[in-house]
Amino acid sequence: YPPNLQQPPLILPFEPGKVWSFSGGPHSAWGPDGALAALDFAPSSMSSGCIESNQWATAAAPGKVVRVGNGVVVLDLDGDGFEQTGWALLYMHIAERDRVALGSFVNTGDRIGHPSCEGGVATGTHFHIARKYNGEWILADGPSPMVLDGWLAHAGDKPYEGTLVRDGVTVVACQCGSFETHISRTSSSP
């Protein structure tokens, strides 16, 4: 990819006013040893483990839904119908129930589906988001870092560790769901 590659504007991928946990810092986008291109978010809940959630993962940017199934939703941000060209977003662990349909066009903030444990290894209800450019994973903390509503992703010493930082505020990734992991989108975002 070009050295001056800039990600398109992306929002936090959930509805405004809802508290979520930043449950996974940069880690493998796909498979056990893949590029550290993904972040995880878990909905607030009184129970742990794999439980049904009515919270919504949303489109971080406008695009065309070019792949769905087995917990996966892929948005093609340039709308040409191919996730191998331009920017694409991969969502993982999206429940089949109420999941967006293949071929749909979504706008920023539109509902994609509910977080779950579907599609791969998961210890609790959450969703995973990663970026690709021209079919290649883009590191969450790399030359073109992942930025969601101004929150800049930073990797930790190990996969799943890390932070999101914006305006001097730091949110620490942890599967524990503690206060330090809480993040929410304001209604001023699209």
Side-chain angles (χ1 to χ4, degrees):
Y1 52 87
N4 59 349
L5 181 66
Q6 296 291 312
Q7 115 180 343
L10 301 178
I11 64 165
L12 284 167
F14 36 84
E15 295 184 310
K18 306 290 183 182
V19 176
W20 285 69
S21 287
F22 176 41
S23 57
H27 62 281
S28 176
W30 194 268
D33 299 316
L36 303 181
L39 302 177
D40 286 349
F41 295 96
S44 293
S45 175
M46 297 301 289
S47 303
S48 61
C50 293
I51 58 170
E52 188 172 292
S53 175
N54 289 321
Q55 297 295 330
W56 289 94
T58 63
K64 181 177 183 178
V65 178
V66 293
R67 183 162 44 119
V68 296
N70 195 25
V72 173
V73 172
V74 175
L75 293 182
D76 168 34
L77 302 189
D78 66 10
D80 68 359
F82 299 100
E83 68 180 276
Q84 302 84 359
T85 59
W87 285 96
L89 297 176
L90 169 103
Y91 291 76
M92 189 70 186
H93 307 298
I94 300 298
E96 183 176 3
R97 174 180 67 96
D98 299 326
R99 186 169 50 215
V100 67
L102 181 66
S104 299
F105 282 91
V106 294
N107 290 311
T108 302
D110 285 354
R111 293 173 169 178
I112 298 296
H114 303 289
S116 74
C117 288
E118 293 177 28
V121 177
T123 59
T125 300
H126 74 289
F127 73 89
H128 164 112
I129 186 169
R131 306 166 304 159
K132 292 196 298 185
Y133 183 76
N134 287 345
E136 298 290 330
W137 297 114
I138 302 299
L139 298 176
D141 182 9
S144 182
M146 188 180 294
V147 179
L148 303 167
D149 269 330
W151 291 96
L152 178 63
H154 294 285
D157 292 334
K158 299 176 187 170
Y160 292 95
E161 293 180 354
T163 59
L164 289 173
V165 177
R166 181 178 79 180
D167 299 330
V169 176
T170 300
V171 177
V172 179
C174 180
Q175 294 176 0
C176 60
S178 68
F179 179 77
E180 296 81 12
T181 70
H182 291 180
I183 191 166
S184 61
R185 209 175 112 220
T186 63
S187 57
S188 63
S189 298

